[in-house]
Structure formats: structure tokens, C-alpha cells
Amino acid sequence: MNPTIMVVEDEPAIQDLIQINLEMGGYRVLIHGNGEDALKHIQHELPDLALLDWMLPGISGIELAKKLRGDSRTKSLPIILLTAKGAEEDKIKGLGSGADDYITKPFSLRELEARIKAVLRRRAPELTQDVIEFHGLKLDPASHKVSGFGKTLSMGPTEFRLLHFFMTHQERVYSRTQLLDFVWGDHVFIEERTVDVHIRRLRAALSPSKHEALIQTVRGSGYRFAKD
Ligand code: CA
């Protein structure tokens, strides 16, 4: 799945530049010229990262970042702020907008992509293409392959996404609702029992190499990926 980046920027030339380059980099890009439109969009679709310009007509990028941080639905949305060089750059540090990072204009597109990747790796590691290995279990997001002690393990796309999420979020308990949000996507209305069905399939897929015990049931809470 390609990460979706929401860009809120009012200058058409910069909008185009960012859109073209991020799309070439494999991202899905949503563009808005002001914060109000972006907030409306976010009500029905949550992006994986928001890139906000500081100077916008209407509410500023900083105010928008604060609003997003203050809402339970968007409080963990990765945010990068774009600022003009100089005074804004200094101010932004002291403002506590809650942004994960900021980039000063003019910026190079390579820098922009590197920052986006770094923030996603920190905040949403399941969206990166990094190969993950854990006690002989190996998952390669780029080739969509999973192996256990070198043996190929075949599984469906949902089980793959579920395993990718677990492997990038080890040792933590997730409820069925949380797994639906994170793995199936935002605003998807599926019965919680569906999660159990896919957990069962995932365990079966992991059983040839005896990795199924890594998917642990936590009674009354949900599931956890951990060793013992
Ligand atoms: Ca602007």
C-alpha cells in the first residue's frame, strides 16, 4: 500500500512540484490550498502523513497542526511543517505545534523525501519498505514475501498486512478495534470477529516454521506480537 500524503499549500507552483515528485516516489498525494478544506477532507479520509505550509490563507499551518494534535482521531497523524527561512524557522521551534519535523523553504526535493521517510519510519514503520526479521521470521514488504527459517510462507494480502503491522509494533497489545483501524484502514466498518478469522489464518500460515506462537492472544484485550 502506498502511503498517502496530504499536502496543504496555497502556492500552485509548489503544489505541482511536490505532487509530481512525491507521486514519482510512489506516494499517493492529496492537495489542498487551505486548512479548512484539509480538515473537511480528513473527516472522511485520514492520510498517513500531513505536510503543512506555515503561511496559508485562513488558519495557519501551525494552527492546523495544533487542531490535528488536539483531536483524538488525528492526534498521532505524522506532521511535517513547511516554513520560510528566517524568523518563522526560529519561531516554529518554540511554538509547540506538535509537528514531527519541519522543513525550511527553499528545500530540495531529495530532502523533502528523506524527511517524509524518516518521519514515517518513526511514526508508522509499517508504511516503509524495510525488511524486518525476528527470530527467523522474515518479512520483505517490497517483494511481499514472508519466510520462516528460509522457508517461504504463503499467506493472503490481509494476513501479510497484519503480520507487517505486528512485526513493526512488537510487544504491544492491540484491541480488535485498533487492529481494524491500523490494518484494515480508517473508517472501515467491519465486524470485530473478522479480526479473529484473519488471526487464525495468519497463525496457520506461520505454522510450517513454528512461528505461530508469536501471535499471542491477550485475554479480554486483543492480540500481541511477542516472543514468549
Ligand atoms: Ca504559503
Side-chain angles (χ1 to χ4, degrees):
M1 251 191 330
N2 297 343
T4 301
I5 314 280
M6 179 176 281
V7 179
V8 189
E9 162 66 75
D10 55 317
E11 286 165 63
I14 300 181
Q15 284 182 352
D16 290 350
L17 192 70
I18 293 176
Q19 177 159 27
I20 290 163
N21 280 276
L22 290 184
E23 283 177 354
M24 281 197 316
Y27 296 96
R28 199 175 141 243
V29 182
L30 310 167
I31 303 261
H32 286 291
N34 63 69
E36 289 80 359
D37 287 349
L39 283 172
K40 256 181 238 155
H41 191 142
I42 280 174
Q43 281 171 14
H44 60 87
E45 183 187 10
L46 199 55
D48 296 305
L49 183 144
L51 183 64
L52 314 176
D53 186 31
W54 161 297
M55 296 295 279
L56 292 168
I59 65 167
S60 72
I62 293 266
E63 289 170 69
L64 183 54
K66 283 185 183 163
K67 266 189 208 294
L68 294 171
R69 279 289 170 270
D71 183 328
S72 64
R73 192 156 162 269
T74 49
K75 70 172 190 299
S76 56
L77 175 69
I79 297 173
I80 297 177
L81 273 168
L82 286 173
T83 76
K85 228 177 168 52
E88 287 182 2
E89 187 184 346
D90 295 329
K91 256 197 278 177
I92 207 165
K93 296 177 196 166
L95 271 173
S97 63
D100 294 274
D101 201 357
Y102 69 98
I103 300 174
T104 49
K105 287 179 179 175
F107 54 87
S108 80
L109 292 159
R110 271 182 59 189
E111 184 192 3
L112 176 67
E113 262 208 82
R115 298 288 191 94
I116 288 175
K117 252 186 208 155
V119 169
L120 283 178
R121 185 165 289 140
R122 201 162 71 233
R123 299 288 296 253
E126 75 279 12
L127 295 171
T128 67
Q129 300 285 297
D130 299 345
V131 173
I132 315 153
E133 206 165 351
F134 185 77
H135 292 274
L137 182 63
K138 189 172 159 187
L139 181 142
D140 182 352
S143 65
H144 258 252
K145 286 209 169 99
V146 180
S147 62
F149 301 115
K151 199 191 296 174
T152 300
L153 302 173
S154 47
M155 60 186 71
T158 304
E159 288 70 39
F160 183 89
R161 284 209 308 278
L162 196 53
L163 181 62
H164 194 191
F165 179 80
F166 276 134
M167 290 184 82
T168 49
H169 297 80
Q170 300 174 12
E171 307 282 344
R172 274 173 277 172
V173 181
Y174 290 93
S175 68
R176 288 168 180 79
T177 312
Q178 286 174 316
L179 289 172
L180 281 175
D181 275 353
F182 290 129
V183 180
W184 275 257
D186 180 61
H187 275 205
V188 175
F189 301 99
I190 308 173
E191 280 190 73
E192 293 196 357
R193 245 178 309 159
T194 308
V195 176
D196 302 330
V197 171
H198 288 280
I199 290 276
R200 220 174 300 138
R201 286 187 196 158
L202 177 58
R203 280 181 178 144
L206 296 176
S207 65
S209 57
K210 306 258 183 294
H211 281 105
E212 72 276 18
L214 295 173
I215 312 291
Q216 303 173 353
T217 303
V218 181
R219 204 170 282 274
S221 308
Y223 296 99
R224 172 175 58 204
F225 181 90
K227 183 100 182 120
D228 307 311

